[in-house]
Amino acid sequence: MPSHCYLNGEFVPLDEARISIRTHALHYGTGCFEGIRGYWNDAERQLYVLHLREHFARFHRSARILFIRLPLSADELSEVTVELLRRNGDEHDVYIRPLAYKDGQEIGPRLHDVHDGLAIFAIPLGKYLATDKGIRCCTSTWRRVDDNGIPARAKVTGLYVNSALARTE
């Protein structure tokens, strides 16, 4: 099980990582994320992360759309992630979740004048879909939000309620 995460500039024990219930992103969906996979190669005893820098370049684009200033470049975020994986000693497939969010405690939907936060954690990667018995699919009654409503080109946390509704349906 992972032991550390990166939270607002430092590595901390994952069990001690906390944000306030008043955090802006919790109330208004003002955050963005990436989903990065890493695959353990048992023969080489090596963890390979898929397109790490490219994911962080997209992460930067999503953050800019939400007026979130990331304190690190894509290369620096990649280095932090490699160090996080090293500290956790992961010897299995992992899912890495960088999350940039509006961390301020203010009430009211806006993006300006709200403090930004950054977290990165990794968890063991299981099967996303259990395909051993086949899968069910359908056309959901829920439609993707138009880019003029919420920027679908960014991985905005609030937008993913649409995906959760569709997947549960």
Side-chain angles (χ1 to χ4, degrees):
M1 199 61 181
S3 57
H4 289 86
C5 68
Y6 182 82
L7 182 61
N8 295 325
E10 57 186 319
F11 293 99
V12 297
L14 187 58
D15 290 340
E16 295 175 19
R18 301 282 182 266
I19 62 171
S20 170
I21 194 168
R22 296 183 320 172
T23 299
H24 196 272
L26 179 61
H27 296 271
Y28 303 108
T30 51
C32 61
F33 68 94
E34 274 297 320
I36 306 168
R37 293 175 181 244
Y39 298 97
W40 177 254
N41 182 311
D42 209 30
E44 296 183 28
R45 312 245 354 112
Q46 182 72 35
L47 184 63
Y48 292 93
V49 178
L50 188 64
H51 302 292
L52 188 57
R53 193 195 180 293
E54 291 83 354
H55 277 285
F56 281 123
R58 281 190 299 275
F59 187 54
H60 265 274
R61 284 193 297 273
S62 292
R64 274 194 302 276
I65 288 170
L66 292 177
F67 298 85
I68 295 172
R69 294 177 193 254
L70 293 173
L72 302 171
S73 69
D75 289 331
E76 291 167 325
L77 287 167
S78 297
E79 291 171 15
V80 164
T81 301
V82 168
E83 177 59 24
L84 174 65
L85 296 171
R86 192 174 290 121
R87 286 176 186 236
N88 285 344
D90 292 307
E91 293 187 3
H92 47 76
D93 295 348
V94 296
Y95 180 77
I96 304 158
R97 174 51 62 92
L99 176 67
Y101 56 98
K102 289 298 183 180
D103 192 31
Q105 310 295 298
E106 300 86 356
I107 293 295
R110 67 176 187 277
L111 297 171
H112 63 283
D113 299 329
V114 181
H115 187 263
D116 300 324
L118 171 65
I120 304 172
F121 65 92
I123 57 173
L125 175 66
K127 288 186 175 184
Y128 187 70
L129 293 173
T131 59
D132 53 329
K133 296 179 184 173
I135 58 172
R136 285 183 41 223
C137 65
C138 67
T139 301
S140 173
T141 57
W142 298 98
R143 300 289 178 246
R144 185 173 179 101
V145 175
D146 186 87
D147 199 54
N148 290 329
I150 297 175
R153 65 189 174 280
K155 283 189 159 182
V156 177
T157 57
L159 178 62
Y160 277 76
V161 71
N162 180 267
S163 299
L165 287 164
R167 187 169 183 187
T168 296
E169 181 182 50

